Amino acid sequence: MNEFLQTNETSKHSSSGGGPANPVAVIDIGTNAIRMVVAQVLEEGRYEVLERFQRAVWLGQDTFRRGRIGAQCMRATVEILRDYVRVSREYRIGKIRAVATSSLREAANADNVLDRIYLACGLNVEIISIAEEGRLTVAAVREAVGELSEVNRGHSLVADVGGGSTILTILDEGEIVNSVGVRFGSVRLLEMLSARSEPTEKLGELFRQHIRMQVATVNRTLPLAHCDSFVAVGGDVRFAAREVGCPTHSEDLLEVPKDRLEQLIERCVRYSPEELCRRFNLTFAEAETLVPALLMYWELLAHTQAARLLVAKVSMRDGVLAELAREATGSEDQSIREGILHAAYAMAKRYCVDIDHARVSSEIAVRLFDYLQSDHGLQRRHRFLLQIAAILHEVGGFISPTAHHKHSYYIIANSEIFGLTRQETEIIAHIARYHRRSPPKPSHTEYTALPRESRVVVNKLAAVLRVADALARGNIHSAEQLEFGHDEDELFITIRGLTKVFLEKRSVALKSDMFEDVYGMKVRVE
């Protein structure tokens, strides 16, 4: 196994200000390597990278070939993580976040691997969804791109071709409008084709055929042809930028002209992984995935209008670091919140939801949430989850108006919503599930499987959504029409601008039972 690869470097996020005494760290358990980044948090959510580590381990090869992590890879993973934990103690790390992507996300024995890591190293590893991986990557790319006009105007494609999956995000004038994850990556392609035994001259054509079919499928989902700029992320494309790239306004962004990229790929296709190692001073792990990854970037680029490739020298790990830094300093990435809201409304439109009703419901729900802050004691993130649930609570009507709340649960629970974790998506699905009809029961197995803390959150937020949904079904067009007041056992809702509130009274009376059970207050509309 390779020794530690270490580089001391200062990030673009550095500043002269001081920061907390203890640094933070991110561990990324990837498809063919486990990486660790140590950084010092500075002021206003900025950070300075102190050290980076990388060690190779072929988890993806096990998962994509056999569907599970083998004993040898499991032992190697534990040993690497033990070393990283020792490093974290030397640095006196204040907070460490360990994440895993497709190699563990798809392994049948992932839970066993996580348990073994926890027992051996004391690390709680989080398997993040493709949507979460995309959100973190885009957050890092935004910092690298900065004020670059061609990305912040028009349509842009952000692509991260990994070992197990490829994450594609469309930006419109810098705002996220669509993001998808494709189970197609360089290591997965090698395993799928059993390509390691093929002669070098045949490999290139094999890769091209399969990549063309995959990108053609993606093109039916994403408007690649509308994109006039292309930002690429990943170790393989950073190699291309080092070989044939040119500097830009940002030290974290290089450009690769289309013709130079094509010439480089044609050179690399002729060489075996062993020859690539010798000619370009690569490790074997890097050389083996290089050609399929570069061909994927090329095929995506060919489907856009972009004349060059912009290569961001960042990764998902930088997005996690930025998040840890914001948590430490209490700051927030507003652009990501807007992206999540945009994704929620796009999903609502896809399932033919009444957008006006969704908007009014969400406005009323968050206004009532704020009023009841001292009663529910929930956090700002829970407010945001309620807002998303209110936007999506009627997506189940696309399947059938009968029992549509159950269909809403199924659709949301089985969707990848950009920017949300798997746990957050599950909570939102349950809030939508209980926006009408029966409250949670012991016989509802999906609900009872939630952790107790999550069940409490679902109860409090679903009760609020029921009242908001009831009010939005009347003649209320804005949450600003409402005023709230309460005493010990009654919540008063005054509606301004309406002389007759019979419809609203009846609707709230039919749907406020859960609110009364959860908050101990009856609801009265005036």
Side-chain angles (χ1 to χ4, degrees), residues 102-155:
S102 56
S103 57
L104 272 173
R105 193 160 53 222
E106 300 175 31
N109 61 338
D111 287 342
N112 293 337
V113 177
L114 297 184
D115 290 344
R116 185 164 177 182
I117 290 171
Y118 179 75
L119 291 172
C121 311
L123 278 176
N124 276 310
V125 177
E126 172 190 358
I127 299 179
I128 60 174
S129 67
I130 289 178
E132 175 76 350
E133 193 176 348
R135 178 185 72 82
L136 294 166
T137 301
V138 170
V141 167
R142 284 177 181 277
E143 293 294 325
V145 167
E147 299 301 320
L148 188 65
S149 60
E150 71 179 83
V151 175
N152 292 310
R153 298 175 189 168
H155 289 80

Side-chain angles (χ1 to χ4, degrees), residues 31-32 60 64 102 160-166 184-190 236 289:
T31 302
N32 54 15
F64 306 142
S102 56
D160 182 2
V161 178
S165 58
T166 296
F184 192 84
S186 53
V187 176
R188 191 190 298 273
L189 183 58
L190 287 168
D236 298 295
T289 62

Side-chain angles (χ1 to χ4, degrees), residues 357-358 360-366 368-369 372 385-394 408 412 427-436 457-473 508 511-512 514-515 519:
H357 175 73
V360 175
S361 295
S362 67
E363 290 177 359
I364 295 173
V366 296
L368 182 53
F369 177 97
L372 295 169
L385 298 185
L386 172 62
Q387 186 176 4
I388 301 300
I391 293 169
L392 297 176
H393 72 279
E394 292 202 320
S408 292
I412 297 170
I427 288 173
I428 289 169
H430 277 91
I431 297 168
R433 162 72 174 82
Y434 296 114
H435 85 272
R436 67 188 291 268
V457 170
V458 167
N459 290 349
K460 291 179 176 180
L461 298 185
V464 171
L465 179 56
R466 283 185 177 226
V467 175
D469 178 56
L471 290 167
R473 294 193 177 281
V508 169
K511 299 193 66 173
S512 61
M514 187 175 177
F515 186 92
Y519 291 96

Side-chain angles (χ1 to χ4, degrees), residues 293-328:
L294 290 183
L295 285 171
M296 185 69 169
Y297 285 112
W298 171 256
E299 189 66 22
L300 288 167
L301 179 63
H303 277 73
T304 71
Q305 301 176 36
R308 60 175 182 165
L309 201 63
L310 293 168
V311 180
K313 296 193 293 183
V314 295
S315 68
M316 179 265 292
R317 294 177 294 282
D318 295 285
V320 179
L321 275 177
E323 197 164 80
L324 288 176
R326 286 193 297 271
E327 288 175 6

Side-chain angles (χ1 to χ4, degrees), residues 161-183:
V161 178
S165 58
T166 296
I167 299 172
L168 304 171
T169 304
I170 301 289
L171 306 181
D172 182 6
E173 296 185 354
E175 295 298 324
I176 300 160
V177 295
N178 204 348
S179 183
V180 299
V182 184
R183 291 180 60 183

Side-chain angles (χ1 to χ4, degrees), residues 30 84 109 142 190 197 217 230 255 290 318 333 379 455 486:
Y84 286 173
N109 61 338
R142 284 177 181 277
L190 287 168
S197 60
T217 301
F230 186 176
E255 67 171 72
L290 182 64
D318 295 285
D333 189 344
Q379 301 171 2
R455 294 199 302 271
H486 77 286

Side-chain angles (χ1 to χ4, degrees), residues 150 153-157 224-230 304-307:
E150 71 179 83
R153 298 175 189 168
H155 289 80
S156 303
L157 173 66
L224 300 179
H226 297 165
C227 296
D228 42 33
S229 62
F230 186 176
T304 71
Q305 301 176 36

